[in-house]
Amino acid sequence: MTGSQYQSKFNEYTRKGYRLTLVSGYNVGSKAYYAAIWEKKSGNRWRAKHGLSSKNYQAEFDNMTYQSYRPKWVSGYSNGSSSRYAAIWESTGAWKSSDIKHIDKTIKAFMDKHNVP
C-alpha cells in the first residue's frame, strides 16, 4: 500500500477494533510502500507511526517512553539516501486510560481556575 492507502486502512481497521501487529516499510523506486497485519484482539493500549525520519523516530521514541509505551515492532527502510521507520508501540500498563483522563481533567481545571494559557 502507498502511504495514503496504508493510513486509510489504518483508520478504517482501528475504528473497527483491529490492532496493528506488524507493519513493514519498503521502497519501489523512490516511492514508499507498506505491508501490514491487523488482528481483532484486545490488549494494552498501542500507537503506531510510519514514514518517520531518524530524527522524528527518536523524538517519537522519547515521547512514547515518557508515556510508558515501549517499541513492539520497528521496521527500518531506505528512502533514497535517508532512512525511514514504521513502528508500533505498546503501553506497559503503567498508566491506564482513565488515569490519563483524570490527570488531564485535573490539570485543565487548575489551568482554567488560574487563567493559565
Side-chain angles (χ1 to χ4, degrees):
M1 296 174 278
T2 65
S4 61
Q5 290 169 330
Y6 167 73
Q7 187 65 57
S8 177
K9 289 295 182 187
F10 179 92
N11 295 342
E12 175 187 347
Y13 290 148
T14 53
R15 263 193 318 271
K16 293 178 178 179
Y18 287 85
R19 297 172 63 86
L20 182 65
T21 57
L22 294 172
V23 59
S24 292
Y26 61 96
N27 273 0
V28 175
S30 61
K31 190 165 185 162
Y33 289 89
Y34 299 90
I37 298 173
W38 284 268
E39 294 180 310
K40 190 147 191 177
K41 66 178 188 176
S42 61
N44 290 343
R45 292 175 296 133
W46 62 278
R47 294 191 181 161
K49 300 279 184 169
H50 69 283
L52 298 169
S53 67
S54 296
K55 182 180 176 180
N56 289 343
Y57 173 78
Q58 186 62 57
E60 284 297 329
F61 178 90
D62 294 343
N63 185 42
M64 294 292 188
T65 300
Y66 176 74
Q67 296 179 55
S68 300
Y69 284 83
R70 299 294 178 261
K72 181 179 177 190
W73 178 264
V74 179
S75 170
Y77 55 101
S78 67
N79 184 14
S81 61
S82 64
S83 58
R84 292 283 185 249
Y85 299 88
I88 304 169
W89 287 268
E90 189 169 87
S91 171
T92 60
W95 292 95
K96 296 177 188 166
S97 180
S98 59
D99 294 335
I100 299 291
K101 287 178 184 174
H102 175 72
I103 291 168
D104 286 346
K105 182 178 174 183
T106 303
I107 290 171
K108 183 174 180 345
F110 176 87
M111 291 173 72
D112 289 347
K113 180 179 178 181
H114 298 284
N115 297 318
V116 177

